[in-house]
Amino acid sequence: MSRTLLVTGGAGFVGSALIKSLLTEYPDAAIVSLDNYFTGTPENHVNDPRVSYIDGSTVDIAKIWAGQGLTAPELVFHMGEYSRIVQSFEDHDLTWDFNLLGTKEVVKFSAGHGAKLIYAGSSSKFGNDGQDENLNPYAWTKAKNIEYIRNYSNWYGLDYAITYFYNVYGPGQITTGKYATVIGIFEHQYLAGEPLTVVSPGTQTRDFTHIDDIVRGLLLVARKGSGDGYLLGAGHEWPLLDVAKMFGCEYQLVPVRRGERTRGQADITKAMELGWRPERKLDEYIAEFVAAHPR
């Protein structure tokens, strides 16, 4: 292999989908996943000899890399962080360690090896004219990482591009447990014959992005992007109650959850300048799901 690519969080939802596409896009590359398996699972591993999976923390990335005797990576896709809003109040220490300590080491590691860093920022940064970045530990740590990456590049030199995900859904999403995604939860409840639980008041909006569109965006930003501001969303905000109604079954409102924002919609202008367009639509995806699983 003539090059090495690193994906942190490579055994997770987005990371595993990304690795599948990297194998096609970079046929001459060896791909390394570094994952602590907090939400990632061995079931997400891609069975290909060009992919290596390392169980470890991003805090120890430099030591782990040296211990494995690996060559310098050309690209570092940093997906391996804590990524839930409400739960970050309960998991404050984990959020701090994964997102601040871990990312500090990934940034230093990338710059030290001359690798381009592709960072998965959080759309929570943009809500309420930027004020929502202080709503919860997760959003705050993600916003601070953006500041740190930009400053580190100015201080020490770092080739980077920052993407922002908007409510990723699709095959491989987490459907159960406290780290499940919204669409994953709805799908699980639908299949179980249960009413869908919609957080009150139901009028709050989200922009939902299919995993295929996210991966295409990451690959494009890796090849052509530079700096901050690549928002990857569908550019459409859906009220959560309307999303639940698409499944055509009963639903019920549940209490408001701490730290959640009221609106979310991506400004995809900068990503579109690279030639990216979202291709998958949420309503069509749900219609296909319901048609494939009639109740």
Side-chain angles (χ1 to χ4, degrees):
M1 299 294 99
S2 63
R3 64 177 79 180
T4 300
L5 312 178
L6 170 61
V7 179
T8 69
F13 171 34
V14 176
S16 60
L18 173 62
I19 287 176
K20 292 174 185 176
S21 290
L22 289 174
L23 286 167
T24 301
E25 293 291 319
Y26 295 88
D28 62 339
I31 302 168
V32 179
S33 165
L34 175 62
D35 200 305
N36 64 2
Y37 293 87
F38 181 69
T39 57
T41 67
E43 288 74 24
N44 286 335
H45 286 188
V46 179
N47 185 20
D48 190 288
R50 289 196 286 135
V51 185
S52 302
Y53 289 90
I54 301 173
D55 184 347
S57 169
T58 52
V59 173
D60 302 315
I61 186 171
K63 182 168 60 177
I64 290 171
W65 201 263
Q68 295 282 335
L70 298 166
T71 58
E74 180 177 310
L75 295 172
V76 175
F77 293 89
H78 187 28
M79 313 285 116
E81 291 187 316
Y82 187 98
S83 60
R84 289 296 178 269
I85 288 177
V86 176
Q87 294 82 353
S88 68
F89 288 104
E90 176 184 347
D91 295 335
H92 179 272
D93 289 342
L94 289 177
T95 307
W96 184 279
D97 292 349
F98 292 179
N99 293 9
L100 294 179
L101 297 183
T103 295
K104 177 180 76 72
E105 295 302 321
V106 171
V107 169
K108 181 179 178 181
F109 171 85
S110 300
H113 286 282
K116 182 176 181 178
L117 174 66
I118 312 302
Y119 180 66
S122 170
S123 60
S124 59
K125 170 183 169 65
F126 299 105
N128 191 21
D129 296 323
Q131 294 304 305
D132 283 359
E133 71 179 48
N134 300 309
L135 275 180
N136 53 76
Y138 164 73
W140 183 83
T141 59
K142 295 289 284 187
K144 294 308 165 189
N145 280 344
I146 301 300
E147 294 180 24
Y148 181 68
I149 290 169
R150 290 197 304 238
N151 285 330
Y152 195 99
S153 180
N154 291 330
W155 296 334
Y156 303 110
L158 172 70
D159 186 8
Y160 73 93
I162 299 174
T163 62
Y164 297 87
F165 298 170
Y166 279 76
N167 291 84
V168 190
Y169 69 92
Q173 65 194 335
I174 301 175
T175 61
T176 60
K178 67 178 184 178
Y179 301 107
T181 62
V182 174
I183 302 303
I185 292 171
F186 285 173
E187 287 185 3
H188 176 76
Q189 291 172 334
Y190 176 89
L191 293 174
E194 302 170 351
L196 309 189
T197 53
V198 181
V199 175
S200 295
T203 54
Q204 67 272 35
T205 66
R206 298 291 183 269
D207 192 342
F208 293 91
T209 321
H210 193 277
I211 182 64
D212 292 350
D213 288 329
I214 290 291
V215 169
R216 285 193 304 101
L218 285 169
L219 294 174
L220 191 60
V221 169
R223 290 188 182 279
K224 299 169 60 177
S226 179
D228 195 5
Y230 298 100
L231 281 61
L232 303 179
H236 181 96
E237 53 181 327
W238 291 100
L240 291 184
L241 192 56
D242 289 357
V243 175
K245 290 177 179 178
M246 292 178 195
F247 285 85
C249 61
E250 294 183 1
Y251 62 86
Q252 62 184 28
L253 294 177
V254 297
V256 174
R257 304 195 302 176
R258 183 182 180 191
E260 290 201 322
R261 54 189 168 152
T262 58
R263 294 186 63 191
Q265 181 177 355
D267 179 355
I268 60 177
T269 303
K270 189 167 183 178
M272 290 175 64
E273 290 172 355
L274 295 183
W276 181 84
R277 297 281 192 288
E279 296 179 353
R280 301 296 299 272
K281 297 181 178 179
L282 179 67
D283 53 347
E284 294 176 356
Y285 170 87
I286 293 176
E288 292 171 2
F289 174 83
V290 171
H293 306 90
R295 287 175 62 171

